[in-house]
Amino acid sequence: MGHGYQAIKWYPFKRGYDGWIAAFVAVFIAVFLVGLYAFAPPGQFYSPVQALMRATGSCAFACLTIVLCIGPLARLHSVFLPILFNRRHLGVATFLIALTHAGLVLFWYHYGGVVSPALSLLTSNTAYDRLAGFPFETLGALALIWLFVMAATSHDFWNSNLGPGLWKALHMGVYGVYALIIGHVALGALQRETAPAFLAMVLSSLGLVSGLHLLTALVSRRAQQASADEIDWIDAGPALDIPENRARIIQPISGERIAVFRYAGKISAISNVCRHQGGPLGEGRVIDGCVTCPWHGFQYRPEDGQSPPPFTEKVATYRVRLDARRHVLIDPTPLPPGTATAPALIQEIPA
Amino acid sequence: MRAAEAILTAFGIYGAIGLIFAAFFVAWGASRLDEAAHGMPLQVRLILIPGAAALWPYLAWRQIRGEGPPVQ
């Protein structure tokens, strides 16, 4: 946590995750190449470089789609939490695949001329004033630059030294990247490729990303409305409905979400926002007595919101109590980060 | 053509300054900014080079002002 820096903190889960990424990329590219040659329309020929160019471009697009779907999926159901963890490696992989795609494009279409490949890319087509024949390569280049910025600042050092606000703002640019790539594909590949698989891939991606984000927003709004009838204390529902060592996330009318944890016969509430990268603590678990962020494993004691020594991170805590119906009541006013507050004891529920 | 050349030249200058700055930053600047960066292994310093080269104006401004990590 706020203690020294390592290049990559490897452990078995992370190695497995990266193994799945590598396997996905290899299988995707292999299947794409086989499909491209097997189902190429009559008269359409692809050189190996052109085929690889399309395969890497499509693979980067697929990886970016997955990156964008992971967040909403994990909010909708905890079964997706394992893929949320270590998402940044998938982001870096996306950049590297997109870089390979760009390298192949520069090599095939722009290398060996009288001007440099980069200048050739910018000047070979300048029809920015019309959609038909629009220089879609520029959109791809802009997306690649931003993917680079995100990949280059994905290390913990940058999160600590840019601060969560600036870091998050930089990385929310992933939605701009997605829009640029949709434009790049729609004005480029989709204008040339007649195979319906290309259009199907783009439409599936758009439908999946927008549909999941809309669904998550709806579910979140419903949860917000459910807590809108709060007066002072928020009713967070029956204590025993919260799974052991897990949390229920509550959205107060104003302020950050609150994660209400049940553990060892007790109930405590802390801010849902991890101090590391703003990860959703309420989607994590209590491990070794500490709330553990599902993103990068930062830990906080549920009773006081402090990271165990020697770490120094702190999150806000909230007062909790149980009512006669065995419901958890939360005072929505956050206590200063690291403030100890008594957990509600489930055994002592009033009769 | 001229506009494209100007953009690429500006990009090249930005990147060249960024790389020079990044070399100094990962060698000395990072630990001035963040105590936890003292004694970072070489691999971490190498990983930080692209980010330092990309964000050098912001980091240079922070170095000049002698600021530590942002309060979180």
Side-chain angles (χ1 to χ4, degrees):
Chain A
M1 302 193 293
H3 231 247
Y5 291 108
Q6 294 174 34
I8 301 171
K9 292 168 191 161
W10 286 113
Y11 35 91
F13 180 84
K14 203 177 266 192
R15 286 182 200 281
Y17 193 104
D18 284 10
W20 278 106
I21 294 174
F24 171 77
V25 171
V27 169
F28 184 98
I29 289 178
V31 169
F32 187 96
L33 290 175
V34 169
L36 192 69
Y37 282 114
F39 299 105
Q44 180 100 45
F45 173 76
Y46 297 101
S47 72
V49 175
Q50 283 176 308
L52 207 53
M53 194 189 298
R54 280 158 178 74
T56 48
S58 301
C59 185
F61 181 62
C63 288
L64 187 63
T65 300
I66 297 171
V67 165
L68 288 174
C69 289
I70 290 175
L73 279 173
R75 280 189 192 93
L76 289 172
H77 202 285
S78 59
V79 76
F80 296 106
L81 282 173
I83 54 171
L84 179 70
F85 189 79
N86 208 29
R87 180 172 49 173
R88 63 176 125 174
H89 281 208
L90 184 54
V92 173
T94 303
F95 163 69
L96 292 175
I97 300 162
L99 184 66
T100 308
H101 169 73
L104 290 168
V105 169
L106 283 176
F107 169 73
W108 188 252
Y109 293 114
H110 301 281
Y111 180 74
V114 289
V115 296
S116 70
L119 189 58
S120 168
L121 177 82
L122 288 182
T123 56
S124 57
N125 177 6
T126 53
Y128 287 98
D129 55 344
R130 57 176 187 266
L131 274 181
F134 187 89
F136 64 94
E137 299 90 341
T138 313
L139 301 179
L142 289 172
L144 185 67
I145 290 169
W146 205 256
L147 279 174
F148 164 73
V149 171
M150 290 191 293
T153 56
S154 61
H155 192 268
D156 278 351
F157 174 88
W158 297 114
N159 183 252
S160 298
N161 286 283
L162 299 178
L166 177 57
W167 191 90
K168 193 168 183 180
L170 276 178
H171 286 251
M172 287 299 274
V174 69
Y175 289 99
V177 167
Y178 186 66
L180 284 168
I181 289 179
I182 289 288
H184 174 71
V185 176
L187 298 170
L190 290 187
Q191 303 297 317
R192 289 161 181 77
E193 301 294 347
T194 50
F198 285 93
L199 181 62
M201 194 169 78
V202 175
L203 291 180
S204 322
S205 166
L206 263 176
L208 202 61
V209 170
S210 52
L212 279 173
H213 280 78
L214 280 173
L215 185 63
T216 311
L218 266 176
V219 170
S220 173
R221 178 172 286 190
R222 239 181 238 173
Q224 203 165 353
Q225 281 167 349
S227 61
D229 54 351
E230 69 189 52
I231 300 171
D232 285 319
W233 293 80
I234 300 175
D235 184 347
L240 295 175
D241 282 2
I242 303 173
E244 182 68 14
N245 293 325
R246 290 278 192 181
R248 178 176 297 143
I249 299 171
I250 302 298
Q251 173 69 67
I253 286 175
S254 61
E256 294 288 356
R257 290 178 183 183
I258 303 168
V260 186
F261 278 91
R262 175 186 168 192
Y263 59 101
K266 295 181 273 189
I267 298 282
S268 286
I270 63 173
S271 164
N272 190 49
V273 182
C274 180
R275 298 314 297 254
H276 176 220
Q277 290 185 356
L281 291 175
E283 292 172 17
R285 292 193 306 161
V286 177
I287 298 174
D288 298 331
C290 288
V291 172
T292 305
C293 180
W295 282 10
H296 304 105
F298 273 49
Q299 290 191 305
Y300 305 90
R301 291 190 297 247
E303 297 89 350
D304 60 10
Q306 293 196 28
S307 291
F311 304 109
T312 55
E313 285 79 5
K314 294 172 187 173
V315 292
T317 53
Y318 296 83
R319 293 190 302 142
V320 294
R321 65 183 175 87
L322 298 175
D323 70 4
R325 300 168 303 153
R326 299 170 176 250
H327 279 219
V328 181
L329 300 179
I330 313 286
D331 178 350
T333 308
L335 299 169
T339 304
T341 179
L345 302 177
I346 296 175
Q347 306 91 296
E348 295 180 8
I349 293 173
Chain B
M1 186 74 150
R2 277 191 180 173
E5 280 175 335
I7 289 169
L8 287 178
T9 305
F11 209 72
I13 292 171
Y14 184 93
I17 296 175
L19 280 176
I20 295 166
F21 174 84
F24 284 97
F25 181 79
V26 300
W28 298 286
S31 47
R32 274 187 60 197
L33 206 63
D34 183 348
E35 273 185 24
H38 278 287
M40 278 190 299
L42 179 64
Q43 300 97 304
V44 184
R45 294 178 195 273
L46 293 175
I47 282 177
L48 299 185
I49 286 177
L55 302 177
W56 69 263
Y58 173 74
L59 296 170
W61 177 69
R62 293 266 309 273
Q63 295 270 298
I64 291 164
R65 288 172 60 107
E67 289 180 359
V71 178
Q72 299 185 21

